[in-house]
Amino acid sequence: MAQEAARAGGVDVGGVGSRNPFSEPRYRMWWMASVVAGLGVGIQAVTVPLFVRDRVGEDERAIAIAAALICQTLPGAILVLVGGVVADRVERRRVLIRTYGVAAAVSLVYVVLAGADVRHVWPVFGLAAIVGSAGAFTNPARQAMMPQLVRPHQIQNGAIFGTLAFMATLQFGGPMLGGLSADVAGLPAAFALEVAMLVAAAVFFGRIETDRPVPTGRSVGADLVEGVRYVRGHASLLGILALTTVPGVLVMGPFAVTIVLMVQDEFGAADRWVGFLWGAFGAGIVVGSLLLSMVPLRRRGLLLASSLVFGPAFTLGYALAPGPVVGLGFLFLAGLTGPAIFVNFAVALLQEYAERVMMGRVMSMYGLAFTASVPFGYLQAGIQASLWGPRPTLLASSLLCVGVGVLAVAFLRPVTRLR
């Protein structure tokens, strides 16, 4: 059934020719825009938790950081399906210009708040909600744009290098820049750098010409229902989306909530180590993505499910690490064997096996599966960390993720059979 969907979408899964997506000029521009966008969003992954941490009591830090992260992800989860419909109805570069412009404006407000040393944290929750709402439209449009820029047999490597551009900079370059600039020049400078990156992303995406959507003649609600029915009718696509809910709850949520606490409370290290640890995790994603682009692998579905076992196994090592240097090594291996495989293959398989006219809606459901699950990860991690501390929180979440991965490898045949 998945193969039939791929043929219906005009995708030649077994196509021949150069697998190098950088041979396409528009893809090169899209890749550069994704790098800059990932840097901007990645900086915020460090700056906002640091802003919150310095303005609340010691006993309230974990809950306050988790609340800020929930405020950013929850609106995105609510709106992301609408964002997918919009991506199929509006020229995608126009969506990206507007949403990254909104994100840059919000970051400019953070510059003012940090520069004026405002001690209240309540503005963060509203600003985070605005950023999350914009992201609901940004991510489906950016991901759905890529298959229009490359040839069918370049889609997998296009997805891999797209992950390298966005996710790795989100996890690696951005947090590194954010942690270093906050530690050396202060939070206002870090937020200002974030503004510059987001504005540049809007400009770069605006220079990419893409196909204009063909009007369906239906309402937004009708298009949304059609997309949901389409995914429900394809077990492989539905299985991938189901697996996508796992990392948000059991990996990324706990990691994001506890990293500041691990650095300060468990490792007794300077703030720059927040960026270094994020960077090590992202570096594993970078290296893993490069390796995946070099060798075409046939059992991608099985590897996708297996990544939920191997990545969290190394996160266990990070949770038990005696210091930040050892933690760096385990996080690098966690990124290499977990997200590098999961994100690359999940995106590639969805983009290869979904019909082109459904691409925005399918990718929005992928975004929903992750975005809706992350707040639960933030919440459970915030509660656990407040009660027992960051190490037990990471241990419990990682062990549970390994168990889910084992079950997926053993029983989720619609996904594990995908080549």
Side-chain angles (χ1 to χ4, degrees):
M1 184 177 293
Q3 293 283 358
E4 293 173 359
R7 286 192 291 270
V11 177
D12 178 14
V13 176
V16 296
S18 172
R19 299 173 64 243
N20 178 17
F22 289 102
S23 62
E24 305 296 328
R26 293 187 301 165
Y27 179 84
R28 292 197 296 269
M29 179 62 71
W30 178 86
W31 191 87
M32 180 58 68
S34 297
V35 167
V36 176
L39 287 173
V41 179
I43 291 172
Q44 193 174 80
V46 171
T47 52
V48 172
L50 287 176
F51 183 91
V52 172
R53 184 203 66 183
D54 294 340
R55 287 160 175 80
V56 298
E58 184 173 340
D59 294 339
E60 300 172 335
R61 292 172 304 167
I63 289 296
I65 292 172
L69 294 172
I70 289 171
C71 286
Q72 182 165 325
T73 53
L74 192 57
I78 294 171
L79 295 173
V80 69
L81 292 182
V82 177
V85 174
V86 170
D88 286 335
R89 295 167 67 100
V90 178
E91 190 178 3
R92 287 154 188 170
R93 65 172 176 169
R94 297 185 184 278
V95 176
L96 294 170
I97 291 171
R98 293 165 185 168
T99 53
Y100 279 116
V102 169
V106 168
S107 296
L108 188 59
V109 176
Y110 278 122
V111 173
V112 175
L113 293 175
D117 197 25
V118 173
R119 306 308 297 176
H120 301 290
V121 297
W122 62 263
V124 172
F125 304 127
L127 294 172
I130 294 172
V131 171
S133 298
F137 297 86
T138 298
N139 294 326
R142 188 186 66 83
Q143 292 175 322
M145 178 187 286
M146 193 277 289
Q148 295 185 7
L149 311 179
V150 298
R151 301 177 187 277
H153 50 273
Q154 297 170 333
I155 288 179
Q156 176 173 305
N157 276 2
I160 288 175
F161 286 116
T163 297
L164 179 65
F166 186 76
M167 290 300 296
T169 51
L170 176 68
Q171 304 290 347
F172 174 55
M176 285 282 288
L177 284 175
L180 287 172
S181 58
D183 195 45
V184 174
L187 271 179
F191 280 122
L193 183 59
E194 181 182 317
V195 172
M197 293 297 176
L198 294 171
V199 169
V203 172
F204 287 150
F205 279 120
R207 296 178 60 187
I208 304 172
E209 293 187 8
T210 54
D211 300 338
R212 294 185 179 275
V214 178
T216 64
R218 294 185 294 268
S219 67
V220 170
D223 280 347
L224 177 58
V225 170
E226 182 188 23
V228 173
R229 287 175 177 169
Y230 172 76
V231 169
R232 287 179 58 189
H234 295 79
S236 297
L237 300 181
L238 188 60
I240 294 172
L241 295 177
L243 285 182
T244 303
T245 64
V246 177
V249 176
L250 300 178
V251 180
M252 294 310 303
F255 178 63
V257 168
T258 60
I259 186 168
V260 171
L261 306 181
M262 286 288 289
V263 168
Q264 185 175 46
D265 298 350
E266 302 295 340
F267 298 152
D271 286 348
R272 70 189 66 184
W273 281 97
V274 176
F276 291 157
L277 291 171
W278 269 108
F281 191 60
I285 298 174
V286 170
V287 174
S289 298
L290 289 173
L291 293 174
L292 291 175
S293 71
M294 295 176 184
V295 181
L297 300 173
R298 294 185 177 276
R299 299 300 302 274
R300 291 180 294 169
L302 180 60
L303 288 170
L304 176 71
S306 299
S307 68
L308 295 178
V309 177
F310 298 116
F314 287 110
T315 307
L316 288 171
Y318 161 66
L320 297 171
V325 176
V326 176
L328 284 176
F330 278 111
L331 285 178
F332 174 82
L333 293 173
L336 179 73
T337 58
I341 296 172
F342 189 93
V343 175
N344 281 312
F345 284 170
V347 171
L349 290 169
L350 289 173
Q351 291 180 339
E352 286 181 22
Y353 289 101
E355 296 181 32
R356 295 292 177 86
V357 295
M358 293 287 183
M359 194 65 68
R361 279 162 282 185
V362 171
M363 297 314 298
S364 73
M365 291 179 214
Y366 170 75
L368 174 64
F370 183 77
T371 305
S373 63
V374 169
F376 292 100
Y378 292 152
L379 180 61
Q380 64 92 6
I383 294 172
Q384 285 194 69
S386 295
L387 294 174
W388 303 303
R391 288 189 192 271
T393 299
L394 289 169
L395 287 170
S397 298
S398 299
L399 285 171
L400 186 55
C401 190
V402 169
V404 172
V406 170
L407 292 175
V409 169
F411 300 110
L412 198 57
R413 291 290 298 160
V415 173
T416 57
R417 72 187 180 192
L418 291 177
R419 304 262 178 192

